[in-house]
Amino acid sequence: MAAMFWIQFILVLGAVLIGIRKGGVALGLIGGLGVSVLVLGFRSAPSEPPIAVMLIILAVVTASATLQVAGGLDYLVQLTEKLLRAHPKYVTILAPLCTFFLTVCCGTGHAVYALLPVISDVAIKTKIRPERPMAISSVASQMGITASPVAAAVTFFLGFAAKAGHPVTLIDIISVTMPAGIIGVLAAAAWSFNRGLELDKDPEFQARLQDPEFRKNLDADVTTLDKKISTVAKVSVALFFAGVGTIILMASCPWLLPLAADKKPIPMTTVVQFIMLAYGAFILFAAKVKAKDIAHSSVFIAGMIAVVSIFGIAWMSDTFISANKKYLIDNIGIMVKMAPWTFAIATFCISAFVKSQAATLAITLPLGLALGLPIPLLLGLMPASYAYFFFAFYPSDLAAINMDRTGTTRIGKFLLNHSFMIPGLIGVGVSTVVAYTISQFIL
């Protein structure tokens, strides 16, 4: 039994690593290959693929992509810039809070790319070292995912808990992850407030100032305030938020829902699907969005990659865990129950390589459930699913480096001594501890 477990474990781990190396939809495709080998080669019974979760992500991503094409994301970015420019001295605190809530509102961290050059410009004009707000803002934009009611990671947890027979509501999840995320962001921002040398005392920056082209580049203005925002873009934002509000209302007042065949209210996993598709349609009509533009938007493409990745990787992980459940419980279950925080470390380590919190949860949640960890505890450890800042290879981190015109946001000579490491460790560490604590009291 032990030999068979380790052979299958190496197979699953190898599939994940190869999928990560290939990138994109490869994680899903190779996950499907892993299922085939487990079923046909090791005669394991295949588990059920995460259909409900995939449909939730598909509905939310489609609505978010429609919002992007309608100009709604541009409007949100412009509002954020107005706030930052009104209080430039506090950019190190306000910028990460803005990127956090921008992700919470949209369910995706992609909106941060338009905001990063603005954050850098505000810092430069205020003579604040841009590394301070830039690094934590990139980290905060990804921390906001576990606090967003329309993010793939949150909807995955919602669907997984329902399938596991231990349902939690959307309100339960957000009431844990939202305050935890905010406190984590503030803790990391507080550390960042005085990090590094001031620009006038930084020898590397002063040496770069000797280059006329470098000085000219610093003087350039970067802003979104000159971009005209249409009325329909503003309407699209209102409609999208109305959709999120409707979901929260339904989650808070289940008596508003009709009863299913079993005389129980329709599950929220189904409600999220048809509500977000409906409000996506409202945005489509109100903004006269072209359907083909939705399919070509960056939000839609990233979302579809997430769906395929979760399809393959979650199916493979669940099949492996189901086939080896007894071995896991007998050999690892006692240790994890005695020190449940060790499961957060395992989740963090997996996320360092898997560039998706939803995909990370797809791997770890079935394992946690098989080990006997209760759903409230798994929810409390949810912030640990973000660790892909560790190697600074995520697009938002690379964008922050490229958009900091002073060059203070960077990757060091030793790879891991980069600008995002300490803010990321503080932010994720604090938010995980806070979420774990809250989950023990309110669930």
Side-chain angles (χ1 to χ4, degrees):
M1 181 66 181
M4 190 65 68
F5 168 82
W6 287 110
I7 292 172
Q8 292 183 31
F9 176 77
I10 292 171
L11 165 71
V12 170
L13 184 61
V16 171
L17 293 176
I18 294 172
I20 293 168
R21 182 178 292 273
K22 293 290 184 180
V25 299
L27 196 59
L29 294 173
I30 296 174
L33 176 60
V35 174
S36 302
V37 175
L38 288 171
V39 173
L40 301 178
F42 293 91
R43 317 307 291 177
S44 301
S47 65
E48 290 294 323
I51 301 298
V53 173
M54 292 162 58
L55 292 177
I56 292 173
I57 297 172
L58 184 62
V60 171
V61 163
T62 303
S64 300
T66 308
L67 173 70
Q68 181 187 29
V69 175
L73 291 186
D74 292 335
Y75 178 50
L76 291 174
V77 169
Q78 195 173 90
L79 291 176
T80 305
E81 181 179 353
K82 289 179 180 179
L83 174 64
L84 294 179
R85 293 198 183 278
H87 307 281
K89 291 183 179 180
Y90 303 102
V91 66
T92 305
I93 299 292
L94 291 177
L97 285 175
C98 287
T99 59
F100 176 85
F101 282 109
L102 198 60
T103 298
V104 168
C105 293
C106 303
T108 173
H110 289 288
V112 75
Y113 302 131
L115 198 55
L116 286 173
V118 172
I119 295 171
S120 176
D121 193 62
V122 171
I124 291 170
K125 297 294 192 294
T126 319
K127 293 181 169 53
I128 292 173
R129 184 182 180 90
E131 180 186 32
R132 296 170 182 173
M134 291 289 278
I136 179 55
S137 293
S138 176
V139 168
S141 70
Q142 303 306 316
M143 289 177 62
I145 288 174
T146 53
S148 172
V150 290
V154 172
T155 53
F156 179 86
F157 194 100
L158 185 70
F160 175 83
K163 181 182 176 182
H166 305 279
V168 294
T169 67
L170 199 58
I171 302 299
D172 291 333
I173 298 174
I174 302 305
S175 63
V176 171
T177 57
M178 178 70 79
I182 294 172
I183 294 172
V185 167
L186 288 174
W191 179 86
S192 301
F193 208 78
N194 293 305
R195 74 176 303 185
L197 297 171
E198 300 295 342
L199 291 179
D200 60 354
K201 297 178 181 178
D202 187 332
E204 292 185 23
F205 175 74
Q206 292 300 315
R208 293 193 196 101
L209 280 179
Q210 305 306 312
D211 184 352
E213 286 296 322
F214 181 77
R215 290 200 307 271
K216 182 180 178 181
N217 189 40
L218 288 183
D219 293 334
D221 287 321
V222 178
T223 181
T224 66
L225 299 180
D226 56 359
K227 187 171 185 177
K228 184 174 176 58
I229 303 296
S230 65
T231 301
V232 293
K234 299 176 182 179
V235 170
S236 70
V237 171
L239 288 171
F240 188 83
F241 286 169
V244 176
T246 301
I247 291 172
I248 294 174
L249 177 64
M250 296 296 182
S252 305
C253 308
W255 51 267
L256 292 173
L257 294 168
L259 299 181
D262 57 0
K263 304 301 181 182
K264 294 181 180 179
I266 296 173
M268 281 305 299
T269 50
T270 303
V271 173
V272 173
Q273 295 171 40
F274 64 71
I275 291 295
M276 290 312 298
L277 286 175
Y279 276 92
F282 293 153
I283 297 172
L284 177 79
F285 294 130
K288 298 180 180 178
V289 170
K290 294 181 180 179
K292 67 176 182 179
D293 292 339
I294 299 173
H296 292 123
S297 68
S298 61
V299 169
F300 188 83
I301 293 170
M304 292 308 99
I305 291 174
V307 169
V308 176
S309 296
I310 289 172
F311 182 21
I313 206 70
W315 198 3
M316 178 181 67
S317 300
D318 200 24
T319 298
F320 165 72
I321 290 165
S322 297
N324 297 277
K325 188 173 182 179
K326 185 179 185 303
Y327 182 85
L328 288 166
I329 293 173
D330 292 343
N331 292 275
I332 306 175
I334 296 175
M335 181 193 73
V336 173
K337 286 182 179 179
M338 290 180 62
W341 55 269
T342 59
F343 195 75
I345 296 176
T347 302
F348 184 89
C349 291
I350 291 172
S351 179
F353 296 94
V354 180
K355 295 188 292 184
S356 165
Q357 292 173 62
T360 298
L361 293 174
I363 295 170
T364 60
L365 289 182
L367 176 60
L369 195 66
L371 295 174
L373 297 179
I375 290 295
L377 174 61
L378 293 174
L379 175 56
L381 302 181
M382 192 174 173
S385 64
Y386 167 49
Y388 38 86
F389 67 84
F390 196 82
F391 295 108
F393 57 23
Y394 197 70
S396 64
D397 298 334
L398 298 177
I401 293 170
N402 293 326
M403 293 175 183
D404 178 359
R405 289 174 283 155
T406 65
T408 57
T409 307
R410 58 190 174 182
I411 296 175
K413 295 180 180 178
F414 305 105
L415 184 62
L416 295 182
N417 60 329
H418 52 72
S419 297
F420 312 94
M421 180 63 81
I422 297 180
L425 291 174
I426 292 174
V428 172
V430 170
S431 62
T432 302
V433 171
V434 173
Y436 175 79
T437 304
I438 294 174
S439 68
Q440 302 308 298
F441 287 98
I442 71 173
L443 295 178

